[in-house]
Amino acid sequence: MPKLTAFDIQKMKQEGKKITMLTAYDYSLASIFDEAKIDILLIGDSMGQAIYGASTTLEVTLNMTIRHTQAVARGAVNYSLIIADMPFLSFGLTVDETVANAGRLIKEGHAEAVKLEGSSDNRIKEIEAMVDIGIPVQGHIGLIPQSAYKLGGYKVQGKNESYFSEEQLLSDAKRLEAAGCFSIILEAIPLAVAKKITESISIPTIGIGAGPNCDGQVLVCYDMLGCTSGHKPKFVKQYVNLHQIILDAVNKYAKEVKDGSYPSLEHSYEG
Ligand code: KIV
């Protein structure tokens, strides 16, 4: 089966096929996710927290994203579509700068598409310019973490009291579709709103905290693998507790080094 393209992802909605997506930041996990035939790997700016221990995504830079995209691209060689997340301020200044920065993610990082947050008039112009030059773009609405300060925190959107109303999200999704996005991330919105959006547009919606009616789902890989500690959002399902598995293995290694049982003859060169 050849490597997926943005065009293939777009078609999956018409074909009624659910889309799988995970974040990936390095070569080793990307190789495993590619082997598991995860449809999309996102080099998300969630690397700020997951890899660098920051409290927000805001300190992630374009150069960091390029380096991690290169690593993922070396791992995901057979199947998964590779999308690089445009970090804070790599877009939003001028349209030309946005296109040039997306171009670096493609040319230097070997991304096959880019994602960016938001749906303002400026964002629409940037998306149109990127699509015009041949770069597939994934939109992202709802709880957009790069705007968390503006939204009043990491809060569910599309509710009465939230920054983005249900009507706003619905019209934003249609604007992103019209601008040429091949799919849209819906983050932290009520499942009924996600259903309405999904039924109103012809491009796939990929939910994270948006319920089961989206065309696909995405999770931060370290969350579903159980590597992260601290607050776990309601929508996260932990499929394995890697934290405990790694802790047990490392404790066993340390004990064996201390008591001299590692390395044994089996793990030593003789002669
Ligand atoms: O950076 C990220 O991981 C994301 C996903 C949550 C969609 O944007």
Side-chain angles (χ1 to χ4, degrees):
M1 194 183 280
K3 223 168 171 312
L4 289 183
T5 65
F7 190 60
D8 297 321
I9 297 294
Q10 197 168 336
K11 277 193 306 189
M12 285 170 78
K13 178 162 181 152
Q14 279 88 56
E15 294 163 356
K17 293 183 187 152
K18 288 271 189 186
I19 298 160
T20 55
M21 176 166 170
L22 282 175
T23 65
Y25 317 102
D26 71 288
Y27 166 81
S28 305
L29 283 185
S31 317
I32 299 172
F33 299 163
D34 190 59
E35 186 181 336
K37 294 198 163 41
I38 295 297
D39 298 320
I40 303 175
L41 302 188
L42 173 72
I43 299 83
D45 63 359
S46 51
M47 75 171 77
Q49 292 102 321
I51 303 290
Y52 291 97
S55 58
T56 71
T57 59
L58 299 176
E59 65 185 60
V60 174
T61 66
L62 187 67
N63 284 336
M64 286 159 78
T65 308
I66 290 171
R67 290 299 280 161
H68 284 277
T69 304
Q70 288 168 342
V72 169
R74 288 187 201 112
V77 288
N78 291 318
Y79 181 79
S80 313
L81 173 71
I82 298 165
I83 303 184
D85 202 5
M86 296 194 73
F88 184 54
L89 290 188
S90 68
F91 59 94
L93 300 177
T94 67
V95 171
D96 286 351
E97 280 171 285
T98 300
V99 174
N101 287 336
R104 285 192 63 199
L105 290 166
I106 305 279
K107 283 166 79 106
E108 296 172 43
H110 307 295
E112 296 151 343
V114 301
K115 170 174 95 56
L116 79 174
E117 296 182 8
S119 47
S120 65
D121 290 348
N122 284 341
R123 219 57 359 96
I124 296 296
K125 285 187 204 131
E126 291 166 310
I127 292 167
E128 284 171 347
M130 288 189 281
V131 172
D132 178 65
I133 216 155
I135 301 174
V137 180
Q138 182 174 66
H140 184 164
I141 58 174
L143 167 51
I144 41 176
Q146 291 174 17
S147 301
Y149 292 140
K150 184 174 87 175
L151 306 186
Y154 295 90
K155 294 187 176 150
V156 175
Q157 298 298 307
K159 292 166 70 150
N160 286 342
E161 67 279 13
S162 46
Y163 187 93
F164 293 117
S165 66
E166 174 179 339
E167 294 71 34
Q168 176 82 57
L169 293 175
L170 196 57
S171 101
D172 286 349
K174 290 180 183 166
R175 275 155 59 80
L176 289 174
E177 177 180 26
C181 285
F182 72 92
S183 63
I184 305 178
I185 300 290
L186 303 181
E187 178 160 355
I189 65 176
L191 59 91
V193 179
K195 182 169 191 284
K196 218 180 263 185
I197 294 173
T198 301
E199 287 168 355
S200 321
I201 57 176
S202 65
I203 56 172
T205 59
I206 301 180
I208 173 159
N213 300 305
C214 299
D215 299 303
Q217 298 293 327
V218 56
L219 282 175
V220 169
C221 64
Y222 283 9
D223 285 343
M224 60 82 71
L225 293 174
C227 290
T228 39
S229 49
H231 171 70
K232 183 158 76 71
K234 179 180 161 86
F235 59 81
V236 170
K237 179 168 177 188
Q238 198 179 292
Y239 285 81
V240 63
N241 188 347
L242 274 195
H243 177 104
Q244 197 56 51
I245 291 171
I246 293 170
L247 190 63
D248 289 348
V250 172
N251 276 335
K252 193 165 177 216
Y253 162 75
K255 181 184 165 296
E256 289 187 4
V257 172
K258 297 271 188 199
D259 70 16
S261 57
Y262 176 81
S264 61
L265 280 184
E266 185 199 345
H267 295 105
S268 305
Y269 298 111
E270 288 181 84

